[in-house]
Amino acid sequence: MKVQIDSGRCQGHGRCYDIAPGVFGEDSEGYGNVPGDGSVAPGDEREVRLAVASCPERAITLTEGA
């Protein structure tokens, strides 16, 4: 599983990095980002799915099986 954030859609609500701080980070202006290659560790899958569902702009893409 991999995630990525569309920086053009992200409005900086921060729900992603509040919910799954081990996967998502924030830039200097408070917008979400995905450090590294976006791979999600098996133990983080539940939190990542919750973060994806909680994003008001639907700026997070989740790819299964990656």
Side-chain angles (χ1 to χ4, degrees):
M1 172 184 297
K2 286 192 173 193
V3 293
Q4 70 181 99
I5 296 178
D6 179 343
S7 60
R9 295 178 77 178
C10 178
Q11 295 295 306
H13 294 286
R15 293 180 183 173
C16 58
Y17 52 79
D18 284 343
I19 294 170
V23 177
F24 299 99
E26 64 180 306
D27 68 13
S28 61
E29 296 179 359
Y31 292 94
N33 62 30
V34 182
D37 69 356
S39 294
V40 178
D44 293 330
E45 291 176 351
R46 181 180 172 277
E47 289 81 12
V48 167
R49 290 180 196 281
L50 182 57
V52 170
S54 297
C55 179
E57 280 77 28
R58 302 293 179 236
I60 307 170
T61 303
L62 178 65
T63 306
E64 299 282 347

